[in-house]
Amino acid sequence: TPLDFYLWGNVKDLVYRRIQPNLNTLWDEITTVCAEIPLQTLVTVTESVATRVQRCIDADGHQFEQLL
């Protein structure tokens, strides 16, 4: 899913650049980072899922990453 492939890894990298002293500031930083993700980035990530699904179908469920 887009959350697995892109969102969580990207958010985690951005949030953990700074040490968060407590859970409240950690939550606030996660919220801020998520709000700053450009809409076009989310659209692109979502569209890539459709591309991957189609490539998987085209490969009859076999390995297809080399086709991306």
Side-chain angles (χ1 to χ4, degrees), residues 39-59:
L39 178 59
Q40 186 56 47
T41 300
L42 298 175
V43 169
T44 301
V45 169
T46 303
E47 288 172 347
S48 74
V49 171
T51 301
R52 288 178 173 274
V53 168
Q54 187 58 54
R55 295 293 170 98
C56 184
I57 291 168
D58 295 343

Side-chain angles (χ1 to χ4, degrees), residues 9-41:
N10 189 44
V11 168
K12 187 171 74 169
D13 289 344
L14 294 171
V15 168
Y16 286 123
R17 286 183 182 172
R18 295 185 294 204
I19 296 172
Q20 305 302 322
N22 60 53
L23 287 178
N24 288 333
T25 58
L26 177 61
W27 181 259
D28 291 343
E29 187 68 13
I30 292 169
T31 302
T32 299
V33 166
C34 287
E36 291 174 350
I37 298 171
L39 178 59
Q40 186 56 47
T41 300

